[in-house]
Amino acid sequence: MISDLTVKVLNKEERKKIYKEHMKQDFPKNELRPLHMIETLIDKGNYYTYGVFQNESLVAYAYFWEEKEKEILLFDYFAVVAGLRSQGYGTEAMKVVLDICK
């Protein structure tokens, strides 16, 4: 049963770990921004990274890019951890992440 999902902003070390352990496998190389570019966008204040956790274990992650002048929020990356896919975590993770974006 999926319950007690929590969302938190990822710190630099968490982003680095997720990038190496998950994103490189979850997305084609030609669709994945380099990590240094993600960090630059974060430093500019228009990129946001969230982890979705259940009992301290990562179940999903979501990265957003914001175009403030046009009031656009782009869902840049979203994925459920490989071993948890097709079990409903994506639906539940999406709900809790979108609640934060409101």
Side-chain angles (χ1 to χ4, degrees):
M1 182 174 152
I2 300 171
S3 62
D4 301 325
L5 295 183
T6 58
V7 180
K8 73 173 203 169
V9 175
L10 299 169
N11 64 39
K12 190 170 188 169
E13 287 304 311
E14 291 167 326
R15 289 190 300 267
K16 184 177 180 180
K17 182 177 181 180
I18 288 170
Y19 191 89
K20 289 182 177 185
E21 295 179 7
H22 299 285
M23 294 179 79
K24 283 187 167 187
Q25 291 75 40
D26 294 339
F27 296 95
K29 187 176 183 176
N30 65 338
E31 293 180 11
L32 186 59
R33 295 178 195 276
L35 182 58
H36 71 86
M37 184 182 289
I38 291 171
E39 294 299 333
T40 299
L41 291 168
I42 290 167
D43 291 342
K44 289 181 178 180
N46 62 342
Y47 204 84
Y48 310 95
T49 60
Y50 298 99
V52 180
F53 297 85
Q54 184 178 43
N55 302 325
E56 307 294 320
S57 295
L58 181 72
V59 299
Y61 57 90
Y63 288 29
F64 295 90
W65 177 77
E66 181 181 29
E67 174 57 59
K68 294 178 182 185
E69 293 153 5
K70 295 181 181 177
E71 298 182 356
I72 296 171
L73 187 62
L74 171 69
F75 220 145
D76 207 18
Y77 299 104
F78 176 80
V80 173
V81 172
L84 299 176
R85 294 179 185 152
S86 299
Q87 298 178 41
Y89 281 96
T91 300
E92 295 306 312
M94 183 73 72
K95 287 177 188 176
V96 295
V97 167
L98 291 177
D99 280 344
I100 285 182
C101 293
K102 292 179 184 176

